[in-house]
Amino acid sequence: MTLLKTALTAQLNIEVPLICGAMYPCTNPELVAAVSAAGGIGVVQPLSMIYVYGHDLREGLRLIRRIADKPIGMNVLIERSSARYLERMRQYVDIAVEEGVRFFVTSLGNPRWVVDRVAPEGGIVYHDVTERKWAEKGLAGGVHGLIAVNDRAGGHAGPYSAERLFEQLQGLGVPVVCAGGIGNADDFVRALRIGYAGAQLGTRFIATDECGAHPDYKQAIVAATEDDIVLTERVTGVPLAVIRTPYVERIGTKAGPVARWLLRGRKTKHWMRMFYALRSAWQLKRASLAGGAREPTSKDYWQAGKSVEGIDKIEPAGAIVRRFAAAASPGGAFDLP
Ligand SMILES: Cc1cc2nc3c(=O)[nH]c(=O)nc-3n(C[C@H](O)[C@H](O)[C@H](O)COP(=O)(O)O)c2cc1C
């Protein structure tokens, strides 16, 4: 029995229910193209494309299409605290639609305006959620599917395990994709067997030939075990999964007292969140491109999830997609009658 044909593959017209999730600052056009070329789907992170890799968005999307003329997605982070940022996101969505992108992954906030903009063009919108409450809000905004971010995910992890979150999200009438903790083909097949319509991976795709991150960062992912992943509040103000480095050991994982106080204040919290967003964008970009976060003097952070446990080499992104697909195919390593 194949596990590869799911509601996700049917909606997106792809062969393998495997998404390379958006990653600021790790998603570069070559990585997106490699995953889509192999039959999965890569998701563009517009800020990473523009501010980390220096591409104009439209040119970057065209570069991807020259490498692989296959479906791709784009991430839309809906952060309402800045009108200017929101306006820019609207422009990015317009450009993406014009360039043929038909899959959008929204995070935070109300996805309604994205659905209204892209659905008439045949666009499909999936919303990142960590619990049922956010799923219901996303569905009220008209989304077509959910990405269930669990407690093992890279980036901003959720509070629940993949199994519990799947149960929580039952009965909502849309496909649910598993995000978090998938490092090898075994993990992928397990997620499909739970009943997920697909999987979104981040960390696994950093340790690839195509990802533009520094070789030290990729090597640190290969070397790490799940116990090396900690959640820190010190980068973005909310728990972010990072590799434990000498700096993390030294400085701890809790936000400082002043930041905590500012984050609590009704007026100051927006200001503090903006400060975190700008500072973390700069910090994470430098860390991903420069390497060296393991040096005792470094103050850099490397983001990664507990899926590091199953990652044992740096390899081409397409080889990962093909190995995972083979494992979930009839006669594959995990095929059951
Ligand atoms: C370095 C890194 C950066 C990420 N940046 C984003 C982002 O910009 N937007 C987003 O929606 N998710 C982001 N994520 C989450 C991923 O898209 C994906 O859901 C997650 O990595 C899945 O967990 P895994 O790393 O265990 O595979 C990021 C994850 C990582 C590891």
Side-chain angles (χ1 to χ4, degrees):
M1 187 192 79
T2 182
L3 292 167
L4 295 180
K5 285 195 189 316
T6 69
L8 179 77
T9 56
Q11 267 175 337
L12 302 187
N13 198 18
I14 57 174
E15 291 133 51
V16 187
L18 182 54
I19 303 172
C20 173
M23 289 183 283
Y24 183 92
C26 297
T27 306
N28 53 330
E30 293 79 5
L31 176 60
V32 172
V35 173
S36 286
I41 187 162
V43 177
V44 168
Q45 212 296 355
L47 303 177
S48 188
M49 171 91 95
I50 298 165
Y51 298 108
V52 180
Y53 291 99
H55 296 282
D56 166 73
L57 181 61
R58 193 182 297 279
E59 288 311 312
L61 294 172
R62 289 182 180 174
L63 168 62
I64 296 171
R65 204 161 60 232
R66 280 200 297 279
I67 306 172
D69 195 5
K70 293 280 199 120
I72 60 166
M74 192 176 84
N75 186 211
V76 187
L77 286 169
I78 307 163
E79 170 58 77
R80 283 205 170 270
S81 60
S82 157
R84 218 172 103 213
Y85 170 82
L86 204 60
E87 187 45 39
R88 199 168 296 171
M89 269 297 155
R90 284 182 194 277
Q91 288 165 5
Y92 295 161
V93 171
D94 285 344
I95 292 170
V97 169
E98 285 162 20
E99 293 301 320
V101 177
R102 291 294 179 271
F103 179 46
F104 293 84
V105 177
T106 52
S107 314
L108 314 168
N110 186 343
R112 169 55 71 188
W113 68 265
V114 183
V115 175
D116 287 348
R117 173 67 184 89
V118 309
E121 314 274 352
I124 298 287
V125 181
Y126 272 51
H127 193 53
D128 273 343
V129 299
T130 51
E131 54 185 289
R132 189 170 173 110
K133 178 172 71 173
W134 304 125
E136 285 168 352
K137 289 213 161 141
L139 289 167
V143 298
H144 310 98
L146 299 167
I147 298 189
V149 181
N150 63 49
D151 59 356
R152 294 175 67 79
H156 292 114
Y160 299 109
S161 69
E163 288 80 2
R164 279 197 60 196
L165 192 51
F166 185 75
E167 275 168 30
Q168 247 191 54
L169 299 177
Q170 284 314 286
L172 293 173
V174 293
V176 182
V177 168
C178 179
I182 298 176
N184 59 30
D186 201 353
D187 300 330
F188 175 60
V189 175
R190 200 173 306 126
L192 296 177
R193 286 210 184 288
I194 290 174
Y196 282 107
Q200 170 165 287
L201 279 62
T203 306
R204 172 58 276 195
F205 284 113
I206 300 173
T208 56
D209 296 338
E210 292 85 356
C211 178
H214 194 280
D216 286 358
Y217 184 6
K218 299 180 186 179
Q219 208 52 58
I221 286 174
V222 172
T225 67
E226 62 180 289
D227 296 334
D228 295 320
I229 304 303
V230 293
L231 293 174
T232 180
E233 293 171 3
R234 297 190 69 96
V235 186
T236 59
V238 285
L240 183 76
V242 299
I243 299 179
R244 191 202 317 262
T245 53
Y247 179 60
V248 174
E249 293 261 317
R250 205 165 61 240
I251 197 93
T253 54
K254 293 273 165 253
V258 176
R260 269 212 302 272
W261 177 68
L262 290 171
L263 277 168
R264 269 200 310 268
R266 209 157 49 87
K267 288 209 177 108
T268 52
K269 75 179 176 200
H270 296 294
W271 180 85
M272 193 59 207
R273 281 195 202 136
M274 184 68 72
F275 166 76
Y276 267 126
L278 292 174
R279 192 188 62 169
S280 67
W282 175 78
Q283 270 183 336
L284 293 169
K285 170 183 170 176
R286 188 193 58 193
S288 84
L289 298 177
R294 270 229 202 85
E295 301 300 322
T297 50
S298 171
K299 291 187 175 178
D300 285 338
Y301 288 96
W302 279 331
Q303 297 183 74
K306 286 187 180 288
S307 53
V308 292
E309 186 71 26
I311 302 173
D312 56 10
K313 62 171 182 282
I314 299 166
E315 58 186 322
I320 297 168
V321 178
R322 284 187 288 274
R323 188 170 63 252
F324 282 29
S329 300
F334 301 90
D335 185 40
L336 294 177

